[in-house]
């Protein structure tokens, strides 16, 4: 579900005229309440942001106010445990909430807005970075003959979390209370999470994170190069050759996976990096523009304003005052 808000779905019937949530969804939401209590213990009301844990790929997210952040996601599994959020990828919006999860299969520049978050009822989330090598091992064991080479699926998907998937997240979080068990048990539980993602309705997208030779995997390799060299001129023909595709096929598959063209992708990276540079360093928009590869400061300002809703100077002043 990308357009239906969680609040609509969570309106459990108080009269015979209201829709009753399916039993599985009710159970999943109840389990998320249990998981939220665990995450509350490992985060603080004094700070919003990411909370790394003693389990290396696992982190929690807490946000006490409605806010928007720009981020480049890596391949990951992320679940909303409490609250609701909106993601923007290029010109597409995706809204999801409690007991729903996101999987990104490639690095994507996203605008993330927590739309249900207060000090009394903070947004709480869980994220787990995906390891292609571990995914590949499970794929080989569970479905070795599958061929996804010619498939091309979007690198972002949202789905309802099953009670069994949430139960895995609960057991993984509970290990933080017994750190001596983490080295042995955490890999087993993470492996189970991978298995459940691969066998879920979005398993195709998850599978292509690790499928050698798939269109998504080839696009993912090109994306890593664009990220590394985002300030350099983009030569689509060379990237297509690297992906072993024609220029037309490369452009089509790149847009299918990322919802944007290679040039749009590079522009998002440039603007997001320029914003981070101006926030972290005492440099002006002109210097930032040249640092990220722009030759025209007026073009940089126009595109920055279009993406962030304000010219560079005003946007940075606003961010620093928050």
């Amino acid at each position: 579900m990308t357009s239906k808000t969680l609040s609509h779905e969570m309106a459990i019937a108080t009269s015979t005229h209201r829709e009753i949530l399916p039993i599985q969804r009710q159970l999943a939401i109840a389990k998320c309440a249990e998981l939220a209590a665990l995450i509350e213990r490992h985060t603080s009301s004094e700070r919003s942001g990411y909370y790394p844990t003693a389990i290396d790929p696992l982190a929690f997210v807490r946000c006490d106010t409605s806010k928007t952040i720009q981020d480049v996601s890596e391949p990951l599994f992320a679940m909303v445990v409490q609250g609701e959020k909106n993601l923007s990828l290029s010109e597409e919006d995706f809204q999801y909430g409690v007991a729903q999860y996101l999987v990104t299969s490639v690095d994507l520049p996203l605008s993330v807005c927590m739309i249900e978050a207060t000090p009394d009822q903070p947004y709480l989330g869980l994220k787990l970075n995906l390891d292609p090598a571990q995914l590949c091992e499970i794929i080989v064991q569970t479905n070795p003959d599958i061929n996804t080479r010619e498939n091309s699926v979007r690198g972002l998907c949202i789905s309802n979390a099953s009670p069994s998937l949430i139960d895995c997240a609960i057991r993984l979080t509970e290990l933080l209370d017994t750190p001596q068990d983490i080295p042995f048990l955490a890999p087993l539980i993470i492996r189970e999470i991978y298995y459940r993602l691969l066998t879920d309705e979005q398993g195709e997208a998850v599978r292509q994170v690790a499928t050698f030779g798939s269109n998504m995997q080839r696009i993912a390799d090109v994306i890593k190069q664009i990220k590394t060299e985002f300030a350099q001129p983009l030569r689509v023909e060379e990237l297509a050759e690297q992906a072993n595709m024609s220029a037309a096929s490369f452009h089509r598959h790149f847009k299918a996976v990322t919802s944007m063209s290679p040039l749009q992708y590079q522009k998002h990276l440039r603007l997001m990096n320029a914003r981070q540079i101006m926030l972290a360093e005492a440099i002006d928009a002109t210097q930032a523009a040249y640092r990220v590869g722009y030759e025209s400061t007026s073009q940089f300002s126009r595109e920055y304003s279009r993406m962030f809703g304000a010219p560079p100077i005003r946007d940075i002043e606003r961010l620093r005052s928050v």
Side-chain angles (χ1 to χ4, degrees):
M1 276 180 296
T2 60
S3 61
K4 185 177 181 181
T5 64
L6 181 71
S7 56
H8 291 157
E9 192 177 33
M10 286 188 64
I12 300 176
T14 56
S15 72
T16 56
H17 299 291
R18 294 189 180 181
E19 182 181 357
I20 303 294
L21 279 177
I23 296 298
Q24 287 290 93
R25 285 293 292 156
Q26 292 185 52
L27 181 57
I29 291 169
K31 283 185 174 291
C32 270
E34 181 181 350
L35 181 55
L38 291 171
I39 293 176
E40 282 268 20
R41 288 171 38 208
H42 296 283
T43 60
S44 169
S45 59
E46 298 179 358
R47 180 175 72 86
S48 291
Y50 288 99
Y51 286 79
T53 73
I55 301 171
D56 187 41
L58 176 69
F60 302 133
V61 183
R62 181 188 180 111
C63 187
D64 298 329
T65 60
S66 179
K67 63 183 295 186
T68 300
I69 59 174
Q70 310 289 332
D71 193 17
V72 180
S73 75
E74 298 178 341
L76 60 81
F77 157 70
M79 185 165 61
V80 175
V81 178
Q82 182 171 283
E84 193 169 352
K85 73 194 304 183
N86 187 84
L87 298 179
S88 294
L89 173 63
S90 188
E91 297 180 353
E92 294 184 86
D93 290 328
F94 305 86
Q95 192 166 317
Y96 69 117
V98 175
Q100 292 183 302
Y101 69 86
L102 161 81
V103 167
T104 56
S105 308
V106 297
D107 299 353
L108 293 173
L110 300 174
S111 175
V112 183
C113 180
M114 315 305 184
I115 54 179
E116 280 192 14
T118 66
D120 292 334
Q121 194 79 1
Y123 170 89
L124 297 173
L126 172 150
K127 74 167 195 152
L128 189 75
N129 290 334
L130 297 177
D131 183 338
Q134 289 188 44
L135 280 168
C136 185
E137 182 183 336
I138 297 172
I139 292 168
V140 169
Q141 292 182 5
T142 58
N143 206 343
D145 299 324
I146 194 161
N147 181 5
T148 59
R149 183 181 180 86
E150 298 307 318
N151 291 339
S152 185
V153 296
R154 184 164 50 194
L156 178 154
C157 56
I158 292 172
S159 188
N160 289 333
S162 66
S164 56
L165 180 60
I166 301 170
D167 186 59
C168 290
I170 290 172
R171 286 185 279 116
L172 188 63
T173 302
E174 286 176 334
L175 285 181
L176 297 173
D177 293 328
T178 55
Q180 70 275 11
D181 296 332
I182 289 175
F184 185 81
L185 294 179
L188 299 178
I189 300 173
I190 290 172
R191 185 178 176 85
E192 183 181 348
I193 290 174
Y194 284 4
Y195 172 78
R196 296 197 179 281
L197 291 174
L198 285 165
T199 55
D200 203 358
E201 61 183 359
Q202 302 293 352
E204 174 74 2
V206 179
R207 193 159 43 242
Q208 291 209 31
V209 175
T211 304
F212 179 77
S214 70
N215 290 322
M216 181 178 287
Q217 189 268 341
R218 287 185 283 169
I219 295 298
D221 288 343
V222 170
I223 284 173
K224 292 187 184 304
Q225 180 174 329
I226 296 175
K227 281 185 65 181
T228 302
E229 304 173 357
F230 68 85
Q232 303 301 316
L234 193 67
R235 297 177 176 85
V236 175
E237 293 77 11
E238 292 181 6
L239 296 177
E241 184 178 351
Q242 177 186 326
N244 196 25
M245 298 178 182
S246 68
S249 177
F250 170 72
H251 191 279
R252 184 175 69 254
H253 287 298
F254 193 100
K255 191 160 188 178
V257 171
T258 67
S259 297
M260 61 189 83
S261 71
L263 285 172
Q264 289 173 320
Y265 187 96
Q266 182 194 50
K267 180 177 72 175
H268 275 70
L269 290 182
R270 285 180 167 183
L271 294 172
M272 290 169 71
N273 275 274
R275 196 187 205 195
Q276 291 171 0
I277 290 169
M278 286 187 288
L279 274 172
E281 304 176 26
I283 65 172
D284 59 21
T286 299
Q287 292 173 293
Y290 288 128
R291 286 265 293 272
V292 300
Y294 276 87
E295 296 180 358
S296 166
T297 54
S298 59
Q299 180 186 3
F300 170 75
S301 294
R302 284 196 307 271
E303 293 183 350
Y304 189 103
S305 298
R306 195 175 301 124
M307 182 166 175
F308 297 117
I313 294 177
R314 199 161 77 232
D315 177 58
I316 298 304
E317 287 177 348
R318 178 182 59 82
L319 290 173
R320 285 178 175 157
S321 66
V322 174

